[in-house]
Amino acid sequence: MSLMSKAAVYQRTLSCGTLEITACRGDMAFDDLFDLAERRNPKRAFLFVSKVLGRHIPVSPATMRKVYQQLAAQFPASLPGPVLFIGMAETAVGLGAGVFDELRHRYRDGVYLTSTRHPVDGELLCEFKEEHSHATDHLIYVLDSPAMRQNVLEARTLVLIDDEATTGKTFINLLAALRNTGRLPQIAQVITVTLTDWSGDALPERCPLPVTSCSLVSGQWRWTPSPTAAVPVMPSVNITGRGASPITGKQSWGRLGMTVPAGDLGRTVSASPGERVLVLGSGEFVWEPFLLAERLEAQGARVLYSATTRSPIAIGFAIQSAITFTDNYGLGIPNFVYNVAHQQFDRVLLCTETPADSVDAHLLQALAKVAAVVEIVTYE
């Protein structure tokens, strides 16, 4: 189904300006795919808030899985291998893993890798910047596993995954950083994967390799700022570093590479048919929590999935409520849970890759107001 017949032009006025989007192509109506919100970030005033991503708006795992399948269906039956998939921290880590999960049987030499803002022990492959972001610095590691490492360094197809592309600059920066390492000389083509793509020909025009774009919708955008809008103050969240809380969770979901999902978080957790369950991932730790949410949904529970984030967003428009607390990595930075505080559940499962005692009591107290039972799920 073409989007053009349903919503050729999308316009939304925020307190800081007006965004207008003209559709080019797509398989979903804009209103089904995203809403807008205002960033607490002076570098970019608006934010596309996905209704299918499972980050800022709780979403059913089934809806998320369908999106992974829709994006995977746009890939060719075969690609020159090995195929290296890279998901962008923090927002697109789970999206990238989901698309990879749908394609790993097709491209059996594929490896999934994520950027990260949490340094770990290992050999750094490259660093790059996401200049408009609330947290600009990204790290990508070389893998310890000899087989995965070989497939990464010999990759011929590079798949870059982000939740959205507004200007294409993040993809451009990452591709330049990877090429500058001189360690991936066999890359012959690039595929970009996003939920929404507003970047036009920005990457193809600046990339010396063939580029193919996969997205649910694409188009052009125009932002008209309000001349009287106040410049937002951004909380101090731009930190890439080790915190006081150790990462104790298994590094099997992408930060140090993945070929097959472990699917082993919360193995003893079960749910009753009809039980209203919210599963929350935390920061970059979202893929294994999603698989837990999917298993509980298969048991008949009414499951929604979301995740904590360091992204500072103003309440209003797509953001109906927010919980603010301190991050569980021990960095001392604000974290947020959006669109949860105004809902009610029977149970909340908060999944972390840090010890249970790293979770801020303020978060647990806030979650206790929306559910009778709040549990922390870790690998401990």
Side-chain angles (χ1 to χ4, degrees):
M1 176 181 63
S2 171
L3 182 66
M4 297 296 289
S5 62
K6 298 192 69 174
V9 177
Y10 174 99
Q11 182 173 298
R12 189 65 51 89
T13 298
L14 308 176
S15 64
C16 52
T18 299
L19 183 69
E20 183 177 288
I21 302 170
T22 303
C24 290
R25 55 153 296 277
D27 298 323
M28 294 182 68
F30 285 168
D31 286 333
D32 294 335
L33 186 55
F34 65 85
D35 200 349
L36 290 185
E38 295 184 339
R39 295 176 185 261
R40 294 161 60 193
N41 183 342
K43 290 181 284 188
R44 182 176 293 169
F46 60 90
L47 176 72
F48 294 96
V49 180
S50 173
K51 296 180 178 180
V52 300
L53 180 66
R55 173 67 72 167
H56 306 109
I57 297 176
V59 181
S60 74
T63 296
M64 296 169 66
R65 178 64 71 173
K66 182 178 179 181
V67 165
Y68 305 154
Q69 294 167 346
Q70 286 177 283
L71 290 169
Q74 298 182 31
F75 277 65
S78 62
L79 285 172
V83 182
L84 172 59
F85 295 74
I86 299 181
M88 306 291 184
E90 69 181 350
T91 306
V93 165
L95 174 65
V99 173
F100 172 75
D101 196 36
E102 291 296 323
L103 292 168
R104 60 188 174 88
H105 298 292
R106 189 186 308 177
Y107 313 128
R108 295 188 177 276
D109 54 3
V111 175
Y112 179 62
L113 187 59
T114 76
S115 70
T116 183
R117 297 184 178 110
H118 298 284
V120 293
D121 293 332
E123 181 185 352
L124 198 63
L125 175 63
C126 71
E127 304 177 52
F128 69 99
K129 289 188 178 293
E130 185 180 4
E131 292 164 353
H132 70 275
S133 177
H134 52 277
T136 57
D137 297 331
H138 291 250
L139 310 174
I140 295 182
Y141 284 89
V142 177
L143 310 182
D144 290 333
S145 161
M148 283 197 291
R149 183 187 183 101
Q150 180 177 359
N151 280 350
V152 167
L153 299 180
E154 295 180 356
R156 297 175 62 202
T157 299
L158 178 63
V159 181
L160 305 180
I161 306 150
D162 209 348
D163 58 314
E164 56 97 8
T166 306
T167 65
K169 189 66 181 296
T170 303
F171 283 148
I172 291 168
N173 290 351
L174 171 54
L175 184 60
L178 290 171
R179 289 175 59 82
N180 287 341
T181 67
R183 302 181 67 179
L184 283 77
Q186 307 302 321
I187 297 293
Q189 65 174 312
V190 178
I191 298 175
T192 63
V193 181
T194 56
L195 298 173
T196 56
D197 186 359
W198 320 118
S199 63
D201 294 326
L203 183 57
E205 288 177 353
R206 297 182 61 177
C207 179
L209 303 173
V211 177
T212 301
S213 299
C214 301
S215 65
L216 296 184
V217 299
S218 64
Q220 292 90 35
W221 61 281
R222 182 177 65 184
W223 171 250
T224 305
S226 170
T228 60
V231 177
V233 177
M234 186 173 69
S236 180
V237 297
N238 190 12
I239 296 176
T240 296
R242 295 178 186 261
S245 299
I247 294 175
T248 58
K250 297 179 180 179
Q251 299 295 289
S252 57
W253 48 263
R255 187 183 285 137
L256 293 177
M258 175 176 68
T259 55
V260 179
D264 58 355
L265 178 70
R267 276 298 191 186
T268 62
V269 177
S270 61
S272 303
E275 184 180 6
R276 296 170 301 170
V277 180
L278 172 67
V279 178
L280 281 175
S282 51
E284 296 173 12
F285 184 59
V286 292
W287 175 241
E288 288 296 330
F290 166 77
L291 294 179
L292 170 60
E294 201 170 41
R295 292 199 300 271
L296 299 181
E297 188 175 51
Q299 294 173 8
R302 294 159 55 190
V303 181
L304 293 181
Y305 181 79
S306 192
T308 70
T309 176
R310 64 167 71 185
S311 178
I313 312 171
I315 294 179
F317 304 99
I319 305 300
Q320 298 182 53
S321 64
I323 300 170
T324 303
F325 54 99
T326 302
D327 76 287
N328 59 292
Y329 293 95
L331 293 168
I333 63 175
N335 270 204
F336 311 93
V337 171
Y338 295 111
N339 289 315
V340 167
H342 66 282
Q343 302 198 57
Q344 288 293 313
F345 302 90
D346 296 318
R347 184 161 48 137
V348 174
L349 301 175
L350 173 62
C351 305
T352 73
E353 61 174 349
T354 55
D357 62 8
S358 68
V359 177
D360 189 346
H362 292 292
L363 173 59
L364 297 178
Q365 292 165 5
L367 294 177
K369 295 178 180 179
V370 305
V373 178
V374 178
E375 302 174 20
I376 300 174
V377 182
T378 73
Y379 281 109
E380 292 180 289

